[in-house]
Amino acid sequence: MKFLKDPPRFLFFTGKGGVGKTSVACASAIELATRGRRVLLVSTDPASNIGQVFGLTIGNTVTPIDAIAGLNALEIDPEQAADAYRERIIAPVRGLLPERELASIAEGLSGSCTTEVASFDEFTNLLTDDSLLATYDHIVFDTAPTGHTIRLLQLPGSWTEFLDAGKGDPSCLGPLSGLEKHKTVYAAAVAALADPARTRLVLVARAQASALSEIDRTHGELAQIGILGGYVVINGMLPAGAGTEPIAAAVRKRESAALNDFPPAIGMLPRDLLELKTGNMMGISALRTLFQAGNDVAVPPQTPVEVADAPLSQFVDELEPTGHGLILCMGKGGVGKTTIAAAIAVALAQRGHAVHLTTTDPAAHLVDTLHGSLPGLRVSRIDPDEAIREYRNHVMATKGKNLDADGRAALAEDLLSPCTDEVAVFRQFSQAVHESRREFVVVDTAPTGHTLLLLDATGSYHREIARQMGESMSFVTPLMRLQDPALTKVLLVTLAETTPVLEAEELQQDLQRAGIQPWGWVVNNSIAAARPETPFLQARAANEAIQIDRVFDHADRVAIVPLLADEPIGVDRLAALTAPGRG
């Protein structure tokens, strides 16, 4: 592997969600440890699953992987990090301040911004902790889906500049109250990230146009903050052993076309290709095979794999009669939420309904997926930059209207906080929720970690409104609309693979705790549903069937969309996904 030749101390694996970053990062950590290196494998992903991959409970403490000498792992759990961060801030004043003031401080530290700041704080410590640097030869980061990664990597520079400028009124920047003393740490983190002798960026993708476009965008954005160069890993290439049946031939054709149209900016970077395996990359034995080509022996099942006939058209038939409502497509990054959301939106528009298709996903490609327009269908994206600009203008025009020059200057500085975008995006999301009372609003949500942060913001808003209004007045908040099954239908989108199904199960549990009951599940890109004929694909189908059975155990409604010979791009192909009798 080119990307593992003479590796520096820090290796970052990033890319579009669902391309196999975790598998590649875990396999790389095993390979380095096998060479006799001391390795710490770290996940900064809110939807981390390295513990699942190794079959261990890891969590927010360094945990040895006993089966691999020299390998340890750590998962930066956002909620645990936030709890510890809040305690560090509140503990020194507990017993000194009245309970009401303590409650006010805790409320100011209850939002999603605190979660992000706390995770960032732990992340930067790993880059600058002298004891860790003395203990480990390499620290391998399995980073979050691209949106999170960009945000996380930009924060060191953002916070350093923000603190150097002395900005940030504690009244609106509670999460910053514990950061001032760490300026030196953040500056050192920035230096480590930008030094190629210490840090190597590995861009992981599939041979798909959207995944390649994503790492191209990532590469450009990282270059703007001083992280240059990098290596490319194309994961999951269909091997020769997969046979020549039509579905296999079509997949190879799509892969070749994607690689032939490689984005120029990353085309010159060193590149490695990894083959798709018959089994999932769970367990050390499986991970050791990831970098090996041509040795995956396909053993087809003794009996043909059968999956239920569960077309996506049935979902549209059930959704349509109300004439309006909020449809949220949620799940792990890379499972095809954009495609499913677009297909449902197209189907409803073609049936004569007004439909607003929007996304909260920073890595979404709605325009590319639709590749055209349709009467009755309006498409938008909740763009963080635009949302922040609109939010700042709104605040300055309202709260700043009657302030003097000094007051307006102070308010403008407060609005430069890196926390502002969470509030701004939430305002636009709330508007989409409001619109669903009179038309269909189909939301292609962000990867799971982003989605939970968004729902947390919604919950925080609900609690604040309830506190201000009291029991005597009637009010309706966005969270209440999300909890209303007559208005909101949540679809959990997954692949028929172990990790996406596990994460969808966990997401369902989180939603249920928030009083939101998922309406249905969609199993996307199913090889089993495509009814393959060659041993390799039949072996993959047999693994899928186990996961599909698990989905039926958790869901009241299930739709299964088969792997298609042609990518579902464009209105006509999207419409075909919801044609009667088509999965």
Side-chain angles (χ1 to χ4, degrees), residues 107 110 457-470 475 477:
E107 179 68 24
S110 65
T458 307
S460 298
Y461 177 78
H462 174 91
R463 291 189 295 272
E464 178 63 18
I465 291 295
R467 185 181 66 81
Q468 292 180 6
M469 301 290 288
F475 62 91
T477 67

Side-chain angles (χ1 to χ4, degrees), residues 339-376:
T339 297
I340 299 303
I344 291 173
V346 165
L348 291 170
Q350 288 183 330
R351 297 187 186 193
H353 298 283
V355 182
H356 179 193
L357 173 62
T358 188
T359 181
T360 64
D361 188 344
H365 304 276
L366 274 181
V367 174
D368 293 339
T369 299
L370 282 166
H371 201 63
S373 60
L374 184 67

Side-chain angles (χ1 to χ4, degrees), residues 318-524:
E318 288 191 64
L319 292 166
E320 182 190 8
T322 60
H324 69 95
L326 181 67
I327 302 167
L328 296 174
C329 293
M330 303 175 69
K332 176 182 170 70
V335 298
K337 296 185 302 295
T338 301
T339 297
I340 299 303
I344 291 173
V346 165
L348 291 170
Q350 288 183 330
R351 297 187 186 193
H353 298 283
V355 182
H356 179 193
L357 173 62
T358 188
T359 181
T360 64
D361 188 344
H365 304 276
L366 274 181
V367 174
D368 293 339
T369 299
L370 282 166
H371 201 63
S373 60
L374 184 67
L377 177 61
R378 178 164 55 97
V379 179
S380 71
R381 174 173 176 261
I382 298 178
D383 180 87
D385 292 335
E386 181 182 347
I388 292 167
R389 186 165 50 252
E390 290 181 359
Y391 177 67
R392 287 173 179 161
N393 291 340
H394 171 76
V395 173
M396 292 301 297
T398 53
K399 291 186 177 181
K401 181 178 180 181
N402 297 319
L403 295 178
D404 59 20
D406 289 342
R408 286 180 61 83
L411 180 60
E413 281 196 355
D414 287 346
L415 291 172
L416 294 176
S417 160
C419 299
T420 300
D421 58 346
E422 290 289 350
V423 179
V425 171
F426 168 65
R427 288 181 72 249
Q428 290 201 2
F429 175 77
S430 298
Q431 179 62 34
V433 173
H434 181 75
E435 291 174 1
S436 65
R437 295 183 301 165
R438 61 180 182 271
E439 66 180 355
F440 282 111
V441 177
V442 183
V443 183
D444 165 34
T445 66
T448 305
H450 272 285
T451 301
L452 294 180
L453 290 176
L454 185 61
L455 290 177
D456 178 68
T458 307
S460 298
Y461 177 78
H462 174 91
R463 291 189 295 272
E464 178 63 18
I465 291 295
R467 185 181 66 81
Q468 292 180 6
M469 301 290 288
E471 299 295 331
S472 60
M473 300 185 68
S474 175
F475 62 91
V476 178
T477 67
L479 180 61
M480 294 167 67
R481 298 197 192 282
L482 294 177
Q483 292 169 333
D484 181 0
L487 178 69
T488 300
K489 305 293 189 296
V490 173
L491 305 184
L492 300 184
V493 185
T494 184
L495 301 177
E497 298 175 4
T498 304
T499 299
V501 171
L502 279 171
E503 294 189 349
E505 291 170 351
E506 293 170 357
L507 176 55
Q508 175 161 281
Q509 293 169 5
D510 289 333
L511 290 169
Q512 289 170 338
R513 282 193 289 270
I516 301 170
Q517 178 62 44
W519 185 79
W521 286 48
V522 179
V523 179
N524 194 29

Side-chain angles (χ1 to χ4, degrees), residues 21-49:
K21 294 187 304 293
T22 296
S23 296
V24 177
C26 290
S28 298
I30 290 173
E31 169 63 22
L32 292 173
T34 302
R35 297 179 187 177
R37 311 287 176 81
R38 299 165 300 167
V39 181
L40 177 63
L41 172 63
V42 181
S43 174
T44 62
D45 191 339
S48 173
N49 66 323

Side-chain angles (χ1 to χ4, degrees), residues 50 59 98 135-136 162 176 181 196 226-227 260 297 318 323 348 354 367-368 393 403 433 470 504 543 568 578:
I50 61 174
T135 302
Y136 298 103
F162 195 74
L176 277 175
K181 62 184 178 182
I227 302 177
N260 287 337
V297 179
E318 288 191 64
L348 291 170
V367 174
D368 293 339
N393 291 340
L403 295 178
V433 173
N543 286 324
T578 56

